[in-house]
Amino acid sequence: MLFRSKAFTFCSQAAQAGVAVGMQKVGECYLNGIGTVKDPVAASGWFARSAAAGLPEGHLNYGIVTEAGLIEKESPYYAAADSYMQAADSPNASETVKLNAFVRLGLLYARGVMVPRNDSPKPDFERAYVFLQQAVDVDPKNPQAVALRDEVVKKIEPTTKQKADNTIAQMKRDREARRAKANPPAASSAPPAAAPVAPVAAPVATPPAAKPVPKPKKATT
């Protein structure tokens, strides 16, 4: 218990200093009651701060607590989906973060909860496939992602699958375009071209010195 309390203290100090990973760890401590009391609201606040500081895990975990209903939201599933998308689209997101974000997005649509508030669940297997296939693209050997993807494929028509594949391709192009815009190529570091050198004028030849003219000799008688 003492170790957990010290760990929470160190993480809190890092978080207060503006370290994104520290914010994430403090959120996890509050969420699980590690070294402190369980407080989902405080956890979500720290996850949001870590996300704002550029940590993809912050978006993912904020989505998880939102989807679980641990914080008050008007449309918790839509809010969770938005956080998952931001996690998956983060340029510095790890493969694990991307995989989890896409799987959770796919499950939201497969469960049919992406409907207006108070409406009955209505599964959208086409949309579920869009995200589960991207999860498989991240890790083709992940058994959960593959099994979930294969399950929803059985529930859509081949033409619907083709349409979804086109949607996936467009999403990937858009994602790459956003990343390229956010990270433009660095300016060339090659040295500037040397200024042209003016041609050297040819040396002017010095004319030879004139020889003295001999004086005429006087005539003798």
Side-chain angles (χ1 to χ4, degrees), residues 9-220:
T9 299
F10 291 145
C11 290
S12 295
Q13 292 172 347
Q16 294 293 348
V19 179
V21 175
M23 299 174 189
Q24 170 71 15
K25 292 297 182 182
V26 169
E28 293 175 4
C29 288
Y30 275 119
L31 184 62
N32 300 297
I34 300 174
T36 185
V37 296
K38 281 189 176 183
D39 188 341
V41 175
S44 66
W46 282 109
F47 290 148
R49 290 179 68 177
S50 68
L55 199 66
E57 288 83 353
H59 288 296
L60 179 64
N61 284 323
Y62 187 82
I64 291 173
V65 296
T66 303
E67 180 183 351
L70 298 179
I71 56 176
E72 187 65 29
K73 286 285 185 180
E74 178 65 25
S75 301
Y77 298 122
Y78 283 103
D82 181 65
S83 291
Y84 296 150
M85 280 300 302
Q86 292 186 68
D89 284 344
S90 296
N92 58 331
S94 66
E95 300 296 280
T96 299
V97 168
K98 293 177 184 177
L99 177 67
N100 277 279
F102 284 133
V103 166
R104 288 181 175 277
L105 278 162
L107 289 174
L108 285 175
Y109 284 97
R111 288 163 51 201
V113 296
M114 296 297 287
V115 294
R117 192 177 180 87
N118 299 322
D119 278 15
S120 299
K122 184 179 180 181
D124 184 343
F125 295 117
E126 177 185 347
R127 198 68 178 167
Y129 169 78
V130 165
F131 294 111
L132 292 172
Q133 179 58 53
Q134 290 184 81
V136 174
D137 290 342
V138 171
D139 185 0
K141 296 183 179 180
N142 184 276
Q144 181 192 26
V146 172
L148 290 170
R149 187 276 313 272
D150 291 347
E151 189 63 30
V152 298
V153 165
K154 298 175 184 177
K155 300 178 181 180
I156 58 177
E157 297 294 330
T159 53
T160 302
K161 179 179 178 299
Q162 182 59 55
K163 178 184 174 184
D165 285 331
N166 292 338
T167 299
I168 293 170
Q170 185 61 54
M171 290 177 71
K172 290 181 177 180
R173 287 192 294 268
D174 292 344
R175 191 175 296 126
E176 289 303 317
R178 288 194 297 272
R179 289 177 180 175
K181 185 177 181 180
N183 300 284
S188 175
S189 58
V197 178
V200 178
V204 178
T206 304
K211 294 181 179 181
V213 178
K215 294 181 180 180
K217 295 181 179 180
K218 293 182 179 180
T220 57

